[in-house]
Amino acid sequence: MAQINPYLHFNGNAEEAFTFYKSVFGGEFATIARFKDMEMAEFPMSENEAEKIMHIALPIGKNSVLMASDTPEFMGKHNENEKRSKISISADSKEEANHLFNGLSVGGHIEMPIADSPWGSYFGMFRDKFGFEWMVDFDPKYNGQH
């Protein structure tokens, strides 16, 4: 079956963000490559960008991978307040939902506190300190599988 794995783009702080995400989700990076590791003649990188992340991957759970890169300066900056897509996490328990919600939202802005929802799941939303938006959900009917 096909998988959907979020791929995030950062303005030079992908490593900081993924170190933070790893501290909440646990696990180890499957891949971490820097621009200096994959330099291409047609896209020269400045010394300032050599250590930035070209690709990073953090496996989450059994079937998901959160991936990212820094956007090279010549491509411009992302407006971190206009990321209106949300990353949705389906937790396996209320305890896991609380752990993920409370961990990932540190330093961010909570849009909807995690609580029992009118539709029957345990749900909350926030924007993390890196500007990305998340939804955390535990639905006992699905036992974490949507």
Side-chain angles (χ1 to χ4, degrees):
M1 171 160 257
Q3 282 181 234
I4 296 176
N5 297 302
Y7 201 101
L8 311 176
H9 295 279
F10 291 85
N11 289 321
N13 60 342
E15 187 166 14
E16 174 191 358
F18 266 62
T19 299
F20 173 73
Y21 297 151
K22 180 180 163 188
S23 77
V24 176
F25 287 110
E28 296 298 326
F29 297 127
T31 307
I32 185 164
R34 300 182 187 284
F35 284 113
K36 69 179 182 181
D37 301 329
M38 313 258 182
E39 199 165 345
M40 295 178 275
E42 61 271 24
F43 297 109
M45 290 292 142
S46 68
E47 284 184 37
N48 181 41
E49 294 189 292
E51 292 295 325
K52 290 184 182 173
I53 300 298
M54 181 176 218
H55 179 73
I56 191 166
L58 178 63
I60 298 173
K62 295 176 186 155
N63 299 312
S64 300
V65 181
L66 183 62
M67 298 177 282
S69 67
D70 286 314
T71 299
E73 292 172 2
F74 74 86
M75 295 179 80
K77 290 208 175 277
H78 302 282
N79 182 334
E80 294 171 358
N81 291 321
E82 290 186 8
K83 296 175 182 156
R84 294 305 307 174
S85 299
K86 293 193 180 340
I87 300 168
S88 179
I89 304 171
S90 298
D92 288 330
S93 67
K94 266 190 172 179
E95 294 75 23
E96 182 182 43
N98 282 329
H99 169 76
L100 296 172
F101 185 92
N102 294 332
L104 292 169
S105 64
V106 168
H109 172 72
I110 294 174
E111 296 174 343
M112 179 183 288
I114 194 159
D116 291 326
S117 70
W119 55 88
S121 72
Y122 189 64
F123 180 84
M125 294 189 310
F126 60 92
R127 180 185 294 269
D128 74 18
K129 64 184 177 182
F130 301 101
F132 288 95
E133 297 188 55
W134 299 77
M135 297 185 299
V136 176
D137 180 73
F138 167 66
D139 192 332
K141 294 186 302 270
Y142 297 104
N143 193 24
Q145 300 297 313
H146 283 110

Coordinates of all heavy atoms in Angstrom, one line a residue, residues 39-44:
E39 N 27.4 18.3 -3.5 CA 27.6 19.5 -4.3 C 27.6 19.2 -5.8 O 28.1 18.3 -6.3 CB 29.0 20.2 -3.9 CG 29.0 21.6 -4.4 CD 30.2 22.4 -3.7 OE1 30.8 21.9 -2.7 OE2 30.5 23.5 -4.2
M40 N 26.8 20.1 -6.5 CA 26.7 20.0 -7.9 C 27.2 21.3 -8.6 O 26.9 22.3 -8.1 CB 25.2 19.8 -8.3 CG 24.7 18.5 -7.8 SD 22.9 18.3 -8.2 CE 22.1 19.2 -6.8
A41 N 27.9 21.1 -9.7 CA 28.6 22.3 -10.3 C 27.5 23.3 -10.8 O 27.8 24.5 -10.7 CB 29.4 21.8 -11.5
E42 N 26.4 22.8 -11.2 CA 25.3 23.8 -11.7 C 24.6 24.5 -10.6 O 23.9 25.5 -10.8 CB 24.3 23.1 -12.6 CG 23.5 22.0 -12.0 CD 24.2 20.6 -12.1 OE1 25.4 20.5 -12.2 OE2 23.5 19.6 -12.0
F43 N 24.8 24.0 -9.3 CA 24.2 24.7 -8.2 C 25.3 24.9 -7.1 O 25.3 24.2 -6.1 CB 23.0 23.9 -7.6 CG 21.9 23.7 -8.6 CD1 21.6 22.5 -9.2 CD2 21.1 24.8 -8.9 CE1 20.6 22.4 -10.0 CE2 20.0 24.7 -9.8 CZ 19.8 23.4 -10.4
P44 N 26.2 25.8 -7.3 CA 27.3 26.0 -6.3 C 26.7 26.5 -5.0 O 25.8 27.3 -5.0 CB 28.2 27.0 -6.9 CG 27.4 27.7 -8.0 CD 26.3 26.8 -8.4

